[in-house]
């Protein structure tokens, strides 16, 4: 510092600006390509939501039934000291409810108000889903679309993207409000 | 008090203070201009009312004195001279100091208490401008500040430790079983190891108990922290009601969990208010009955086992069982046939039923017909129980039994419907074995005799909507007898699994409206067990006999009720509006009586809430005007005012108002209760 010759504020600023724009451009192009999603099975079909909603995936522990609440709240369990609900969202999506066997998992998700556990028939891990394969939900397609954003058509079949924002804000998830 | 209201108040206060200041200065120069007095009075009065609304007692006291002085001037009883104006200006200055300190969130540079006292006496007293405070000796050098959240977190962590210790104990048991299956030689070795481990766990248990005690101790506060304000309350109420009362507090040093104390305060306010307004008679009446003119109200607290007993006792007129029964029948709370069957002791508890009140008109002081009901609700919230005892003509005593803390409970663990539940022992009377032959039918329900008393019998799984396993045959069934206030019910469970100290965990926001549950705990095996909220079981038991709502009632309940709020103070309007809106009422505001008349003609309201003193027509005139129209002849009107004389209340009732709430006693619950009582 202090040496006027080696310190050209203009050059440094230009450089910084370029780096900034470059970083932005990189981020954008990346985001355009894929969406990081947790993929799982509900009602025999493959579903997904963005990973930032998920806080963990666990095997199904003993669920304690809660009296006098709607049937989609299947019980509560002990998540390291926090009492957490296990919910079966399949009826909300108009899906059949096959028995959840040994491959069953609980996807712990964090909404604005509470953390809750979504029961799934199986979990398939995190995948980067390509936006080029994405089709937004078609209106009037006959199925329950309230909580869907669209689907990804992949080689191994389609993956439906859930609208977690809408799902987690639905009063049906809150005991006594359905 | 939400900061939002304080902010609104401070802004409103600024305006009134500015106009007080300029008006007073003009008056000082031209003492003959008494026409200014009315406007000044209105400023002081509005300020007083708004201050009361937001609970600023000091400002309300100062402005009250100012109002009295101005009234004196208006009536010509008080000279309009420099010293008198000076006194008024000092009042305005003090209010300005307090509000600006509030805005900054600091303490005002003024000994407010001393100022208020001196000001009430009309003494100029201390100078307001910066008076150097005496250096306070550093008395608490060996204490540190701690965030309440940190303390709560600490207590939660200790709770986790207790749960973990339970898991260790469960594993020790398992180890014993493993030992039995081993050949003798290994078994001996294992037994020694197990013995040592058991000692370690015992010591850990001891340490955790100590730690728990200390951690809880950090959250404990003495009763004194809430009882100081109560003395003032009793004094003011006694004055207002014309009673002579000696108020004693015993056991101020008894400590309780901070959370519990917060819940206790409104209960005590309610009970003391009742003691003064329903209990203690007027001095002359007392003298005539051969009692000392001065009544005694005693608030006492003491430890009993793992709980605290808080008693409020007055030596007033007591509770009259016959009067209570008659009132209960008259209000439709009780069937006349039922009334005959009720014992004198049971009759006292009728006062806890919703919709019960023995006072004839609704006033702010008490007799709102919702008071004791609310007391009961609040006690349920803190897992306490309440007992009443009284001797007509001599005393009334309300005893509250409260747990020391809400974070750890003693509970009975029961099996029911394939699940495990914890029942707090505060509600447990006893465990009984019932044979099928001992069950009688009464009406549509089943009853058993418990110590000679006929007790309703329910199946716990049935009540909770869980699968029932009730075997035929005469095998004895297990039932728990639960008590709540004066009532007893017996609930059949599959088995009881012993007593345990359970750590209470909240169920979180997803279960905020859940019925039957108070929380959950985690058992030794790591699985959760739900803690039952016993009062809900009593409700459910009663619900069985209650007729379902008619279609009309359901429809009426679904319609959003519309309320018109009339007040010239923006603080009051905003507060009342947001209180009502939060409860689902639709609210329209009006800034004056004229405005209200216009708005009420345009649409139909279900209720009108009005201030008294406003520019233009006042609240009484507004009420009369509304009463004279067909549209509003029957619509309830609540007067909310800072005028607290009986004369004003009489005027309000003559004008046709149904209820009168004094801003000094204003709290959110009071307004809501009154509104709910009038229009549901």
């Amino acid at each position: 510092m202090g040496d006027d010759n080696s310190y050209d504020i203009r050059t440094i600023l230009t450089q910084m600006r370029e780096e900034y724009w470059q970083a932005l451009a990189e981020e954008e192009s990346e985001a355009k390509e894929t969406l990081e999603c947790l993929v799982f099975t509900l009602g025999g079909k493959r579903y997904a939501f963005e990973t930032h909603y998920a806080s963990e995936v666990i095997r199904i522990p003993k669920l304690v039934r809660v009296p006098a609440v709607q049937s989609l709240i299947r019980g509560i369990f002990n998540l390291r000291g926090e009492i957490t609900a296990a919910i079966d969202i399949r009826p909300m999506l108009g899906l059949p409810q096959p028995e959840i066997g040994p491959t069953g998992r609980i996807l712990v998700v964090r909404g604005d108000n509470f953390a809750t556990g979504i029961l799934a028939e199986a979990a398939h891990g995190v995948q980067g889903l390509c936006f080029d394969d994405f089709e937004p939900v078609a209106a009037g397609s006959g199925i329950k679309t309230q909580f869907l954003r669209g689907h990804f058509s992949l080689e191994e079949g389609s993956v439906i993207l859930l609208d977690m924002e809408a799902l987690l804000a639905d009063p049906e998830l809150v005991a006594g409000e359905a | 008090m939400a900061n939002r209201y304080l902010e609104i108040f401070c802004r409103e206060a600024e305006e009134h203070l500015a106009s007080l200041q300029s008006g007073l200065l003009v008056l000082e120069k031209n003492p003959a201009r008494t026409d200014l007095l009315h406007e000044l009075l209105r400023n002081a009065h509005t300020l007083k009312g708004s201050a009361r609304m937001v609970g600023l007692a000091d400002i309300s006291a100062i402005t009250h004195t100012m109002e009295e002085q101005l009234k004196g001037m208006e009536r010509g009883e008080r000279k309009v001279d420099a010293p008198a104006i000076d006194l008024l200006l000092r009042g305005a200055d003090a209010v300005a100091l307090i509000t600006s300190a509030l805005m900054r969130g600091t303490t005002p540079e003024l000994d407010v208490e001393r100022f208020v006292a001196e000001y009430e006496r009309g003494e100029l007293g201390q100078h307001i401008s910066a008076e150097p405070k005496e250096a306070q000796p550093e008395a608490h050098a060996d204490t540190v500040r701690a965030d309440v959240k940190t303390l709560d977190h600490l207590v939660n962590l200790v709770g986790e430790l207790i749960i973990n210790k339970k898991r260790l104990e469960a594993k020790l048991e398992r180890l014993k079983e493993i030992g039995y299956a081993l050949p003798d030689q290994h078994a001996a070795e294992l037994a020694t190891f197990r013995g040592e481990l058991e000692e370690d766990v015992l010591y850990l248990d001891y340490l955790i108990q100590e730690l728990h005690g200390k951690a809880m101790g950090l959250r404990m506060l003495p009763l004194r922290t809430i009882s100081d304000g109560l003395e003032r309350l009793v004094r003011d109420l006694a004055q207002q009601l014309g009673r002579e009362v000696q108020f004693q507090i015993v056991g101020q040093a008894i400590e309780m969990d901070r959370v519990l104390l917060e819940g206790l305060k409104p209960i005590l306010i309610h009970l003391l208010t009742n003691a003064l307004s329903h209990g203690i008679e007027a001095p002359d009446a007392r003298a005539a009955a051969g009692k000392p003119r001065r009544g005694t109200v005693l608030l006492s607290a003491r430890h009993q086992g793992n709980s605290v007993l808080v008693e409020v006792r007055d030596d007033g007129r007591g509770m009259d069982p016959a009067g209570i029964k008659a009132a209960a029948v008259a209000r439709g709370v009780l069937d006349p046939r039922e009334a005959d069957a009720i014992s004198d002791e049971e009759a006292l508890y009728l006062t806890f039923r919703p919709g019960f009140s023995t006072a004839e008109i609704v006033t702010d002081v008490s007799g709102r017909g919702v008071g004791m009901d609310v007391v009961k609700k609040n006690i349920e919230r803190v897992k306490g129980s309440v007992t009443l005892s009284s001797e007509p003509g001599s005393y009334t005593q309300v005893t509250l039994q409260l747990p020391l803390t809400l974070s750890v409970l003693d509970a009975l663990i029961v099996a029911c419907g394939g699940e495990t539940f914890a029942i707090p022992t505060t509600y447990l009377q006893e465990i009984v074995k019932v044979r099928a032959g001992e069950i009688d039918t009464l009406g549509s329900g089943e009853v058993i005799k418990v110590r000679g008393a006929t007790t309703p019998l329910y199946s716990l799984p049935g009540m909770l909507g869980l699968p029932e396993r009730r075997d035929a045959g005469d095998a004895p069934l297990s039932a728990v007898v639960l008590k709540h206030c004066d009532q007893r019910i017996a609930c059949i469970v599959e088995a009881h699994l012993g007593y345990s100290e359970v750590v209470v965990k909240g169920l979180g926001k997803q279960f905020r409206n859940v019925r039957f549950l108070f929380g959950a705990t985690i058992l030794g095996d790591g699985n959760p067990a739900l803690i039952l909220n016993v009062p809900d079981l009593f409700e459910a038991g009663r619900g069985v006999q209650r007729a379902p709502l008619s279609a009309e009632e359901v429809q009426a309940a679904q319609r959003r009720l519309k309320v018109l709020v009339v007040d010239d103070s923006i603080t009051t309007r905003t507060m009342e509006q947001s209180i009502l809106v939060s409860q689902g009422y639709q609210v329209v505001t009006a800034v004056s009586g004229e405005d209200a008349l216009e708005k009420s003609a345009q649409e139909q309201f279900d209720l009108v809430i009005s201030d008294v003193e406003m520019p233009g027509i006042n609240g009484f005139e507004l009420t009369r005007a509304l009463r004279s129209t067909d549209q509003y002849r029957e619509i309830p009107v609540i007067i909310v005012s800072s005028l607290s004389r009986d004369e004003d209340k009489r005027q309000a009732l003559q004008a046709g108002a149904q209820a009168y709430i004094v801003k000094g006693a204003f709290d959110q619950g009071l307004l809501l209760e009154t509104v709910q009582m009038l229009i549901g």
Side-chain angles (χ1 to χ4, degrees):
Chain A
M1 300 269 278
D3 189 353
D4 285 352
N5 296 332
S6 68
Y7 183 72
D8 179 3
I9 185 74
R10 236 169 247 284
T11 324
I12 292 172
L13 279 179
T14 315
Q15 215 173 330
M16 279 173 73
R17 199 177 300 129
E18 269 171 16
E19 275 171 20
Y20 174 75
W21 286 115
Q22 204 172 342
L24 269 193
E26 267 171 24
E27 219 171 83
E28 242 170 53
S29 65
E30 232 174 60
K32 250 181 203 165
E33 279 168 0
T34 63
L35 187 66
E36 290 270 293
C37 283
L38 178 64
V39 182
F40 48 90
T41 305
L42 285 180
K45 293 187 199 158
R46 303 224 294 168
Y47 280 81
F49 54 74
E50 298 93 316
T51 46
H52 65 86
Y53 289 106
S55 56
E56 60 191 297
V57 177
I58 56 169
R59 282 172 192 282
I60 301 174
K62 177 178 159 45
L63 299 181
V64 171
R65 262 175 304 162
V66 183
V69 294
Q70 57 268 45
S71 60
L72 81 84
I73 297 181
R74 294 278 294 269
I76 53 160
F77 60 96
N78 171 15
L79 181 68
R80 285 185 306 280
E82 295 286 320
I83 303 292
T84 312
I87 55 174
D88 188 347
I89 59 167
R90 292 177 296 183
M92 291 170 81
L93 303 171
L95 293 173
Q97 293 170 272
E99 184 103 359
I100 294 180
T103 58
R105 292 288 184 274
I106 286 182
L107 322 171
V108 181
V109 293
R110 206 160 280 280
D112 284 342
N113 289 316
F114 48 79
T116 193
I118 295 176
L119 285 161
E121 289 144 38
H124 311 293
V126 174
Q127 289 180 23
L129 298 177
C130 192
F131 266 109
D132 294 342
D133 305 325
F134 185 70
E135 258 178 65
V137 71
S141 53
I143 47 163
K144 281 197 178 186
T145 55
Q146 192 185 353
F147 303 113
L148 306 184
R149 302 240 309 262
H151 70 274
F152 294 91
S153 308
L154 306 178
E155 282 173 23
E156 63 266 33
S158 100
V159 173
I160 302 164
L161 184 65
L162 288 178
D163 184 349
M164 288 302 279
E165 198 85 28
L167 190 85
L168 289 174
D170 196 86
E172 210 174 319
L173 297 188
V174 179
E177 290 203 352
Chain B
M1 176 53 52
N3 286 332
R4 191 156 57 99
Y5 297 128
L6 276 182
E7 242 182 82
I8 296 173
F9 169 78
C10 289
R11 259 184 275 131
E12 190 188 10
E14 253 171 48
E15 282 171 34
H16 288 296
L17 287 171
S19 87
L20 270 170
Q21 182 112 356
S22 57
L24 284 170
L25 291 175
V26 174
L27 193 65
E28 189 172 31
K29 284 187 199 121
N30 313 296
R33 285 204 53 191
T34 45
D35 57 306
L36 289 172
L37 284 170
H38 194 75
E39 184 56 23
L40 291 173
L41 247 174
R42 212 178 68 75
N43 283 322
H45 181 84
T46 310
L47 210 47
K48 177 175 86 171
S50 303
R52 284 184 169 192
M53 290 291 285
V54 292
L56 296 169
D58 296 322
I59 293 184
S60 126
I62 295 169
T63 45
H64 177 75
T65 309
M66 292 172 71
E67 199 187 343
E68 289 303 306
Q69 292 167 2
L70 286 164
K71 273 187 193 158
M73 290 177 176
E74 202 181 32
R75 286 195 294 260
E77 293 161 4
R78 201 182 166 90
K79 261 187 53 207
V80 184
D81 56 6
I85 301 270
D86 197 37
L87 199 58
L88 285 163
L89 283 170
R90 272 173 196 272
D93 288 348
V95 173
L97 263 178
I98 300 172
T99 48
S100 65
L102 273 174
M103 289 287 263
R104 287 194 311 268
T106 57
T107 43
E109 290 172 15
L110 171 74
D111 184 343
V112 177
E113 219 168 287
R114 193 169 126 203
F115 179 85
V116 170
E118 287 176 349
Y119 199 66
E120 272 175 9
R121 292 196 297 270
E123 291 168 14
L124 283 179
Q126 63 187 33
H127 285 273
I128 290 167
S129 49
E131 184 183 84
K133 277 185 199 157
E134 279 176 48
Q136 292 273 331
E138 202 56 53
H140 299 292
D142 54 351
T143 59
V144 291
R145 277 159 180 273
D147 187 358
V148 170
K149 267 198 193 137
T150 315
L151 290 183
D152 289 350
H153 190 59
L154 182 66
V155 171
N156 285 345
L157 284 174
V158 176
E160 290 298 309
L161 262 181
I162 295 176
I163 288 162
N164 241 288
K165 182 211 69 186
K166 290 200 168 176
R167 302 190 64 161
L168 274 178
E169 286 169 348
K171 294 228 162 61
L172 271 177
E173 279 305 303
R174 178 90 189 89
L175 206 55
K176 200 193 260 175
E177 287 162 25
I178 294 172
Y180 293 145
L182 288 178
D184 281 352
Q185 186 203 340
H186 296 296
E189 205 176 323
L190 188 71
T192 323
F193 173 76
R194 194 186 154 278
E196 283 168 13
L197 191 61
E198 196 165 13
E199 268 175 40
D200 291 345
V201 173
L202 263 178
Y203 187 57
L204 182 69
D205 182 30
Y206 162 76
L207 289 178
I208 291 174
Q209 295 265 353
E210 285 286 297
L211 184 60
H212 183 242
K214 293 276 185 282
M216 292 310 299
L218 290 175
R219 285 213 311 194
M220 299 292 221
L221 287 174
L223 183 65
R224 185 180 301 111
T225 47
I226 60 164
S227 62
D228 285 349
L230 298 177
E231 289 186 44
R232 178 69 194 265
L233 173 96
V234 171
R235 175 191 158 276
D236 290 356
L237 260 177
Q239 257 176 14
Q240 202 180 330
L241 297 164
R243 303 282 191 268
E244 288 178 27
V245 176
Q246 189 193 4
F247 182 43
Q248 290 177 333
I249 305 181
V250 176
Q252 296 231 55
I254 295 285
E255 292 194 332
M256 294 170 77
D257 195 313
R258 186 177 52 82
V259 184
L260 270 168
L261 268 183
E262 275 164 21
L264 184 59
K265 191 171 184 181
I267 299 176
L268 289 181
I269 290 177
H270 242 115
L271 293 178
L272 289 170
T273 309
N274 271 351
L276 264 90
S277 56
H278 294 319
I280 304 291
E281 311 90 330
D284 292 342
R286 289 182 63 91
K291 288 172 152 185
R293 288 180 66 84
R294 198 170 198 210
T296 307
V297 175
L298 175 70
L299 167 64
S300 70
R302 63 175 194 275
H303 285 292
Q304 191 191 62
N306 230 348
S307 57
V308 179
L309 287 186
V310 180
E311 285 171 0
V312 175
R313 185 187 171 104
D314 69 74
D315 66 346
R317 63 172 68 96
M319 295 166 81
D320 168 25
I324 291 170
K325 274 193 219 176
V329 172
R331 275 162 190 77
V333 171
L334 193 67
D335 206 62
R337 279 168 302 157
E338 277 181 90
D340 293 335
I342 279 180
S343 73
D344 280 0
E345 199 202 332
E346 285 170 327
L348 301 184
Y349 291 90
L350 290 172
T351 52
F352 286 130
R353 301 264 181 104
F356 180 90
S357 170
T358 51
E360 290 304 322
I361 67 159
V362 179
T363 72
D364 67 292
V365 180
S366 60
R368 287 170 293 119
V370 279
M372 288 306 269
D373 181 29
V374 170
V375 167
K376 190 175 145 209
K377 276 260 148 57
N378 276 320
I379 294 168
E380 282 171 13
R381 211 162 50 84
V382 297
K383 303 299 133 208
S385 63
V386 57
T387 42
L388 299 173
S389 64
S390 176
E391 178 74 45
S394 98
Y395 78 95
T396 301
Q397 179 170 317
V398 185
T399 308
L400 312 174
Q401 186 180 7
L402 304 162
L404 278 177
T405 167
L406 288 181
S407 58
V408 176
L409 286 177
D410 285 320
L412 175 72
I413 313 292
V414 298
C416 155
E419 299 292 352
T420 311
F421 290 94
I423 300 175
T425 51
T426 33
Y427 295 109
L428 186 71
Q429 181 179 302
E430 60 191 299
I431 302 168
V432 292
K433 289 274 179 219
V434 186
R435 287 183 182 278
E438 295 165 338
I439 303 174
D440 288 321
T441 354
L442 185 76
S444 58
E446 292 178 326
V447 294
I448 52 166
K449 290 261 187 225
V450 178
R451 295 175 195 281
T454 304
T455 310
L457 179 74
Y458 303 100
S459 138
L460 189 57
M463 274 176 138
L464 299 176
L466 294 171
E468 270 185 88
R469 257 184 258 156
R470 198 157 151 186
D471 304 318
D474 202 35
L477 301 162
S478 275
V480 288
V481 181
L482 303 173
K483 59 177 183 204
H484 179 49
C485 291
D486 58 326
Q487 297 175 332
R488 305 278 182 278
I489 56 171
C491 295
I492 295 172
V493 297
E494 272 150 36
H496 45 89
L497 308 171
Y499 293 92
S500 177
E501 192 179 51
V502 300
V503 178
V504 181
K505 289 184 168 285
L507 290 172
K509 285 188 180 155
Q510 197 167 359
F511 291 98
R512 60 172 180 232
N513 295 327
V514 77
R515 221 177 145 209
F516 297 124
L517 303 177
F518 165 53
T521 188
I522 292 166
L523 298 174
D525 60 5
N527 287 321
L530 295 164
I531 304 172
L532 289 178
N533 191 33
V534 174
D536 281 351
L537 296 179
F538 279 83
E539 290 267 317
R542 269 204 296 282
V544 173
Q545 288 131 22
R546 204 180 295 150
L549 289 175
S550 71
E552 272 167 54
E553 283 172 310
V554 171
Q555 210 176 8
Q558 278 166 350
R559 194 171 74 88
R560 279 184 75 195
L561 294 159
K562 251 198 275 182
V563 181
L564 179 64
V565 168
V566 193
D567 204 304
D568 58 330
S569 149
I570 181 174
T571 308
T572 310
R573 276 200 312 272
T574 318
M575 269 186 85
E576 291 178 357
Q577 182 176 21
S578 69
I579 288 169
L580 292 168
V581 167
S582 73
Q583 291 302 307
Y585 294 102
Q586 203 179 331
V587 177
V588 173
T589 59
V591 298
S592 68
E594 286 83 355
D595 190 18
L597 282 175
E598 207 171 290
K599 286 185 170 145
S600 63
Q602 283 161 7
E603 54 185 320
Q604 180 70 37
F605 292 95
D606 300 291
L607 176 81
V608 179
I609 301 177
S610 174
D611 186 16
V612 176
E613 307 226 317
M614 292 178 285
I617 66 168
N618 68 26
F620 300 148
E621 289 163 328
L622 170 65
T623 309
R624 249 177 250 120
L626 287 173
R627 283 283 170 267
S628 66
T629 64
D630 283 345
Q631 218 181 333
Y632 286 93
R633 185 156 297 136
E634 303 290 332
I635 298 298
V637 176
I638 301 177
I639 297 284
V640 177
S641 163
S642 42
L643 303 169
S644 63
R645 292 172 308 152
D646 286 345
E647 175 53 32
D648 299 311
K649 289 175 197 166
R650 241 192 310 282
Q651 271 205 44
L653 294 164
Q654 275 165 8
Q658 267 74 14
Y660 196 99
I661 298 177
V662 174
K663 282 182 189 173
F666 193 88
D667 68 88
Q668 168 158 340
L670 180 67
L671 179 69
L672 276 180
E673 285 156 18
T674 314
V675 169
Q676 276 160 4
M677 188 179 60
L678 292 172
I679 59 171

